Amino acid sequence: MTSQLLSPNPAPPGPKGHPFVGVLPEYSRDPLGFLTQWAREYGDAVTLYGFRKAYLFSHPDAIEEILVTQQSHMRKDRLLGIVGKVLGNGLVVSEGDFWRRQRHLMQPAFHRERITAYGNLMIEQTQTLTASWQNGEIRNLGQDMMALTLKVATQAFFGTDVPMAMHEIEQAMLRVQQQFDLRTRHMLLYLLPDPIPTPNNLRYRRAVQDLDRLVYRLIEQRRNDPVERGDLLSILLTLRDEAGEGMSNQQLRDEVMTFLLAGHETTALTLTWALTLLSQHPDVETTLLSELKTVLGERPPTPADLPQLQYTDWAIREAMRLYPPIWAMGRYVASDCEIGGYPIAAGSNVVISQYIVHRDPRWFDEPTRFKPERWANDLAKHLPPFAYFPFGGGSRVCIGKAFAMMEAVLVLATLMQQFHLELLPGQEIVPWAAFTLRPKQEIKVRLQRRLA
């Protein structure tokens, strides 16, 4: 598409980069480091040259333009093509009228009353995990959190019909996540189309096929036995739009895959980072334990306790501020527009980074410090609207936000009430900006059971 945009305003400043490939070599080596450096060096708007011109915007006002006021000029970023095979045309990927129809159709499934009903499941699954933990045992923290949130997601979305398939789901999901990470970490693999039969692409394809077989089988079973079971799949099967039309099997499959993948990985990473930060900050852990003792005594938490677990909620919010699972978002500019006072031509890309904005000292004092109490006195209401946006924003804000927050708080409270997690010495805790923001190396912890 040829742009007709003419403006006397200059393009934002930015690094020169290399011939043909621009800044891509530096970016692929260290996305967090170089994006942060460029934002500090060049300001709130930065031109990034590569195979296609891109712009990094880091001011909340410009982010609001991208996600809200200029949204009609934007389309989803090409990076989502990597996940297209597994997510299909689900809410994360779909666009335009189809997305609006699906979002409106599915909103009732995520009303707070329905979401709260999953709270006991979250607590029960966490208690099952802690019952398997032994005092003094060394655990892989990220692996445990991934397994836990996948079990919660699977039972919340499918009910109790799939316990025997859990291993199959875990292995397929692991293969899918490895493909995402591999493709986003290496520039040449990022550009490599899925149909090319490399060993990694073939393993990825088989993993998606395994998930497809399971999901389509469950959909068919539920259509033949349409009993309301309270799980997400049952609810989705009952939903109808204004014309009385429900979702096709393909649409159901795409939405279930979207929630199964996105709904467990991001929460697992939030919990991994929160537990790691608590193990590094004993003063914060002490304050959190005091709240748990006051609110819960010796009993386990329930969904009804959520309004009283304020500090626990703040700890989750603070973990997502420092280590947002979705660390950056991109949009393809489909038509000429203006962002942050700069003309942006059709065919460009715009990038916004939660990781950068959440650590900006203009919005957060001591921005690199883990300080849950900063969220007291309704801090969120006093911030610019897009100074903190771990779940995105605008009309495309994550539909599962309430589910994710409830799960993170309840799991954290249940775990911390029973165990102290001691980081093994000598570990390098470094964030790795793959498709999501995960620790670069495994995080190993020693379990210390709390005395009653």
Side-chain angles (χ1 to χ4, degrees):
M1 181 177 182
T2 302
S3 171
Q4 303 298 315
L5 187 62
L6 296 175
S7 172
N9 294 336
K16 292 182 179 179
H18 309 277
F20 306 113
V21 296
V23 299
L24 285 175
E26 287 83 1
Y27 175 83
S28 62
R29 285 200 305 273
D30 182 10
L32 293 179
F34 279 103
L35 285 180
T36 301
Q37 175 186 323
W38 293 330
R40 288 174 179 167
E41 184 174 347
Y42 297 104
D44 287 330
V46 184
T47 300
L48 304 175
Y49 294 95
F51 295 125
R52 178 184 290 149
K53 186 180 289 186
Y55 303 92
L56 171 67
F57 288 98
S58 301
H59 194 282
D61 292 347
I63 294 169
E64 185 171 16
E65 290 178 337
I66 292 167
L67 296 182
V68 182
T69 59
Q70 300 286 350
Q71 182 188 10
S72 62
H73 298 278
M74 307 294 165
R75 300 292 180 269
K76 283 287 187 171
D77 185 69
R78 180 185 180 276
L79 180 62
L80 285 172
I82 297 175
V83 301
K85 185 178 290 294
V86 66
L87 299 187
N89 204 31
L91 281 181
V92 169
V93 178
S94 57
E95 301 270 12
D97 290 340
F98 180 82
W99 173 83
R100 280 185 284 274
R101 184 255 187 188
Q102 288 293 99
R103 177 78 183 215
H104 179 72
L105 183 63
M106 295 174 64
Q107 194 66 52
F110 290 88
H111 284 165
R112 185 167 295 276
E113 293 77 10
R114 285 193 180 273
I115 294 303
T116 302
Y118 297 119
N120 290 328
L121 166 65
M122 298 165 179
I123 296 163
E124 290 166 6
Q125 288 296 327
T126 308
Q127 290 173 326
T128 299
L129 172 65
T130 56
S132 72
W133 281 0
Q134 302 297 318
N135 190 42
E137 184 182 8
I138 294 173
R139 304 288 301 194
N140 180 330
L141 180 58
Q143 187 177 77
D144 275 355
M145 293 304 101
M146 284 288 183
L148 170 61
T149 59
L150 181 57
K151 286 183 173 68
V152 170
T154 301
Q155 292 210 7
F157 301 154
F158 299 135
T160 58
D161 291 355
V162 289
M164 299 304 292
M166 275 304 304
H167 179 71
E168 178 184 355
I169 294 173
E170 287 178 354
Q171 292 305 305
M173 280 294 173
L174 178 62
R175 180 63 248 166
V176 168
Q177 289 163 349
Q178 288 171 342
Q179 176 78 350
F180 297 166
D181 293 346
L182 188 68
R183 292 282 296 276
T184 53
R185 188 176 187 180
H186 300 284
M187 184 171 62
L188 292 179
L189 292 177
Y190 166 70
L191 299 170
L192 188 69
D194 280 339
I196 294 178
T198 65
N200 282 313
N201 282 351
L202 290 173
R203 285 192 291 270
Y204 172 55
R205 194 178 305 168
R206 284 194 296 271
V208 175
Q209 289 169 349
D210 289 342
L211 289 169
D212 279 346
R213 279 194 295 271
L214 172 65
V215 172
Y216 279 122
R217 185 172 72 242
L218 286 167
I219 289 171
E220 195 60 35
Q221 288 173 357
R222 294 300 178 78
R223 285 204 188 277
N224 293 331
D225 182 23
V227 177
E228 171 60 60
R229 293 173 172 84
D231 56 78
L232 182 65
L233 180 55
S234 293
I235 296 168
L236 294 183
L237 280 164
T238 67
L239 298 176
R240 296 291 182 269
D241 61 17
E242 290 85 349
E245 295 291 328
M247 283 188 260
S248 68
N249 282 3
Q250 177 71 52
Q251 290 167 340
L252 284 165
R253 175 262 178 220
D254 292 348
E255 301 303 353
V256 166
M257 287 290 202
T258 296
F259 296 127
L260 191 60
L261 181 65
H264 95 275
E265 182 178 3
T266 52
T267 307
L269 290 172
T270 295
L271 286 163
T272 299
W273 287 118
L275 289 163
T276 300
L277 287 162
L278 285 166
S279 70
Q280 295 171 319
H281 296 82
D283 56 328
V284 176
E285 182 177 5
T286 298
T287 303
L288 189 146
L289 290 173
S290 176
E291 174 178 87
L292 297 181
K293 186 70 173 178
T294 300
V295 175
L296 306 176
E298 302 301 326
R299 66 174 176 82
T302 70
D305 295 314
L306 286 169
Q308 282 72 51
L309 296 175
Q310 279 196 333
Y311 195 83
T312 311
D313 179 272
W314 297 344
I316 292 295
R317 293 179 187 277
E318 185 72 345
M320 288 194 295
R321 184 186 69 81
L322 287 168
Y323 298 103
I326 304 302
W327 61 276
M329 302 166 63
R331 292 291 187 267
Y332 173 77
V333 181
S335 56
D336 297 341
C337 61
E338 184 176 287
I339 303 293
Y342 292 99
I344 306 297
S348 306
N349 286 87
V350 292
V351 179
I352 56 181
S353 172
Q354 290 93 324
Y355 184 87
I356 292 173
V357 179
H358 290 184
R359 291 166 173 253
D360 192 321
R362 289 176 294 182
W363 324 123
F364 301 99
D365 66 293
E366 299 182 281
T368 61
R369 182 182 166 196
F370 180 54
K371 193 168 71 168
E373 60 271 20
R374 77 170 72 244
W375 295 97
N377 302 315
D378 288 327
L379 172 66
K381 294 182 179 179
H382 302 292
L383 292 170
F386 287 88
Y388 180 74
F389 58 114
F391 294 99
S395 62
R396 298 198 71 129
V397 67
C398 176
I399 197 172
K401 175 182 176 179
F403 184 103
M405 282 300 299
M406 180 175 70
E407 181 178 9
V409 171
L410 289 176
V411 171
L412 185 64
T414 305
L415 290 176
M416 294 304 295
Q417 191 180 42
Q418 299 182 52
F419 284 93
H420 166 70
L421 307 184
E422 177 192 355
L423 280 177
L424 294 190
Q427 295 185 87
E428 187 180 22
I429 311 296
V430 177
W432 171 32
F435 191 75
T436 48
L437 189 63
R438 57 181 60 221
K440 191 170 186 179
Q441 308 293 340
E442 294 179 349
I443 297 178
K444 297 294 183 67
V445 295
R446 179 177 287 106
L447 304 178
Q448 296 180 357
R449 187 178 295 277
R450 300 192 193 280
L451 299 176

